[in-house]
Structures are given as C-alpha cells and as structure tokens.
Amino acid sequence: MKLPRRFFQPLALGAPQPLREQPVRLERMIHFVPPHLAKMRAKLPELAGQVDVVLGNLEDAIPADQKIEARQGFIAMAREAELGSTGLWIRMNALNSPWALDDLVEIVGAVGAKLDVVMVPKVEGAWDVHYVDQLLAQLEARHRIGRPIGIHAILETAEGVKNVDDIASASPRLHGMSLGPADLAASRGMKTTRVGGGHPDYRVLADAGPQGSARAGAQQDLWHYTVARMVDACQANGIKAFYGPFGDFSDPEACEAQFRNAFLMGCVGAWSLHPSQIAIAKRVFSPDPGEVAFARRIMAAMPDGTGAVMIDGKMQDDATWKQARVICDLADLVAAKDGATA
Ligand code: GLV
Ligand code: MG
C-alpha cells in the first residue's frame, strides 16, 4: 500500500500532476463508434453535438483482422475532431491481448493531448490499473502532455467484482467504472445469452393461494447487486459509476428501464451503442424537471442545509438537502450543455 503522500505523485519524470478531484463533466452517454469503418467516422461532426462522450471502440465487436485499421481510424478521427465540450475516449483492447500495448503507445503518441479517458476492459484487480497508470505516465512525459489522461475500468469479470473496492481506489487517475453485463455474465457462468437487461426466468413468485388460483410473479433485476457494489465503490472514492451496454436495440422500453434503475441507484450515465439509445440516455440521465423544481424548493427552504422543514407534507432535513444538491448540480450541468433540455 502506497503512503498517502506518495499517492498523488506523478509516476514518471515530466508527467503531469495527478488530479485530486475528477473534472466536473456531463457524461450521460458514452457513445461507441467503430473507428475501422470510414462511414461511421464520417458521422463524427454531426454526432459531436448530440452526445456527451464519443468513444472509439478498439476491443470486442471489432474483428481481430481489423484491429490495426480501428486504431489508425481512431487516430485519423481524433486528429480532425473539433469536439468542444464533448469528451473523447477510447476503449483499448484487453491487457492480455496482443494489441493493448500498441493501442496506448500509438494513440497517446499521436493524439494524446486530445484524449480524455482510456476505458480499460476486463479489469480484474488494482494491478491492472497500476500497469496502465504507469504506462500512461511514461507516455505523457515522453509526449509532453499537459494534463493526465483518465482511466475508466469496465467491471465485467467475477474477479473484478470481488476486487471492486481495490480497483476504485487504485489510482488518482481513475475516472470511473462501467458495468459490463455481457462479459460478466460469461465470467460468472450465468445461463443467459444477452447483452444486459433482465431475463424473464429471473423472478420472484408470490406464495401459493387457494387451489387453482393464479400466482403473481415479478421479474427481478439481475444486475442490482453488482450495480450497488459498483456505485458504493465509486462514490466512496470520488469517481463515477455507469451502466454499460444494452444490446437489444429493438426494445427501447427495456433499455430505458435498465438505464433508469442505474440512474436511480447512483449511476451518472450509460453506453449508447445505437443512435436510438442517445435520446434514451439523455432522457434518463438528465434529472426530471418536477424533481428539479422540488429540489430547488428544498434548497431555498433550508439555505444553510441544516434543520428540518415540511414541504407538501414531506419532512426535509440535512440528508434530503444533500440529495437535492445532487439533483440541482446535475440540472445546472445539463442546462449549461444542452439548450433543448435546459
Ligand atoms: C461490455 O463490454 C460487456 O461485456 O458487457
Ligand atoms: Mg465486455
């Protein structure tokens, strides 16, 4: 365990000072782009105004024989990109793949100054974060990059979930974490074939009633436990939690329900893999105007955030004031970025 005073020292001579607080940014959706496809790269200017984060995907879903094209495509895309306040990320290949090292060396070397965050797949423990952390510091120093590139871990293995607290506190470079339900299902030996979302057989059945009467049952959330652990690990370390992919593009209602559960439990965003999911994420991860209005009433009624007041018959105290603060801060961020929602 590193001494606290060494935790915030740069890991390479000439690397930028690690951040003490993550920058305040709106990241309701991390929009995935397959950068080996010129047609998809060409959509970037139009996309940049619609999404909070554009991510060049180099890992799963990119065919093995197109990995180099994807990396080069991302570099070309990043060189041309004028993104304003929209974030630019990559999802690198997994650390046990033959592509991971060159993903970082080549991309940071070419466009590191424009890159906000590296998403690292299949993070199993703090050791994976330390490896990328050290390498990024060396590359930042070599290429004189003036601000640290963030690391975002995907939580998608059983071992990663076991070590989620150590991952979240492994480095000041940690930006946040996303749930990866598809790989996690495989790693856990779950009996599903889906990318996120629920399953009709995972349900709780009401007690048996009189002979012959129908028994009510309700589908449960397969991801509740993992999202809760991830949110606690992230919030305890001042980093952000995200729900990851929802693969059934034909079911926007289920996608919205999954995103909303994550939002209510503390996640700040989700991945959009299809253009139709951008609007869903925007709707879900922007606070509800009614909630914002109520939160503002709480803040106004308790200017210093202490004591207790009644509003519409509901008790408010220091704890609800803090919840109201989260909603008002988010509303201010959304209003600043997104005129239509403001
Ligand atoms: C995402 O990478 C997942 O495996 O769900
Ligand atoms: Mg995965």
Side-chain angles (χ1 to χ4, degrees):
M1 178 77 184
K2 225 177 232 193
L3 290 174
R5 69 172 170 277
R6 293 196 48 218
F7 188 70
F8 286 102
Q9 284 173 1
L11 294 181
L13 292 173
Q17 194 69 38
L19 299 177
R20 294 207 167 236
E21 300 282 344
Q22 287 302 309
V24 179
R25 295 188 79 159
L26 190 62
E27 292 165 336
R28 293 166 296 182
M29 77 296 294
I30 303 164
H31 188 72
F32 273 53
V33 175
H36 59 303
L37 302 175
K39 195 177 89 188
M40 303 307 273
R41 292 200 302 269
K43 294 192 175 157
L44 186 65
E46 174 198 344
L47 204 58
Q50 294 170 28
V51 303
D52 297 337
V53 175
V54 172
L55 175 144
N57 180 26
L58 308 177
E59 199 225 12
D60 291 355
I62 306 301
D65 62 358
Q66 310 264 305
K67 294 287 188 184
I68 311 298
E69 282 82 351
R71 189 190 298 145
Q72 285 165 353
F74 177 79
I75 291 172
M77 184 173 106
R79 281 205 171 114
E80 282 167 26
E82 293 296 339
L83 291 176
S85 65
T86 301
L88 183 65
W89 298 21
I90 54 165
R91 177 167 78 166
M92 68 180 295
N93 282 288
L95 298 177
N96 62 359
S97 78
W99 306 291
L101 181 63
D102 289 342
D103 285 348
L104 289 180
V105 170
E106 291 182 19
I107 288 174
V108 177
V111 291
K114 283 186 146 181
L115 188 64
D116 293 300
V117 172
V118 173
M119 183 183 271
V120 186
K122 303 176 178 72
V123 172
E124 307 247 51
W127 54 88
D128 287 334
V129 177
H130 295 157
Y131 173 80
V132 178
D133 195 9
Q134 183 70 64
L135 198 49
L136 283 175
Q138 292 168 354
L139 293 168
E140 286 164 351
R142 180 197 279 179
H143 300 290
R144 303 194 190 295
I145 292 166
R147 53 161 186 130
I149 297 166
I151 292 178
H152 182 102
I154 313 183
L155 191 62
E156 54 181 349
T157 66
E159 186 165 13
V161 176
K162 183 166 79 62
N163 293 323
V164 65
D165 298 317
D166 294 344
I167 295 169
S169 60
S171 159
R173 201 186 279 280
L174 247 289
H175 156 280
M177 228 182 268
S178 287
L179 171 73
D183 270 300
L184 184 54
S187 168
R188 279 180 172 160
M190 288 168 65
K191 310 303 179 288
T192 55
T193 54
R194 300 174 172 213
V195 177
H199 193 286
D201 294 343
Y202 190 72
R203 57 207 292 267
V204 169
L205 201 59
D207 285 355
Q211 198 78 32
S213 65
R215 290 172 72 169
Q219 198 172 320
Q220 307 291 301
D221 183 357
L222 278 170
W223 307 109
H224 179 83
Y225 160 80
T226 316
V227 171
R229 281 204 65 185
M230 178 179 71
V231 168
D232 284 347
C234 288
Q235 291 294 349
N237 287 285
I239 65 174
K240 298 187 191 178
F242 294 72
Y243 176 80
F246 191 90
D248 186 353
F249 304 151
S250 71
D251 193 351
E253 233 179 300
C255 176
E256 181 152 349
Q258 184 73 69
F259 283 9
R260 183 156 283 111
N261 286 351
F263 175 68
L264 289 170
M265 284 189 71
C267 291
V268 299
W271 302 1
S272 48
L273 302 183
H274 187 271
S276 64
Q277 294 181 335
I278 296 171
I280 299 175
K282 222 175 244 193
R283 194 156 60 239
V284 170
F285 292 102
S286 305
D288 173 71
E291 284 278 25
V292 177
F294 193 71
R296 295 215 192 278
R297 284 174 68 196
I298 297 175
M299 306 279 302
M302 297 171 59
D304 70 351
T306 68
V309 295
M310 296 298 289
I311 301 180
D312 299 345
K314 301 183 185 79
M315 189 206 72
Q316 313 299 329
D317 67 2
D318 307 43
T320 52
W321 186 91
K322 287 177 199 152
Q323 292 173 44
R325 164 109 255 164
V326 170
I327 292 175
C328 292
D329 286 353
L330 177 58
D332 292 343
L333 267 182
V334 171
K337 158 109 191 179
D338 182 346
T341 313

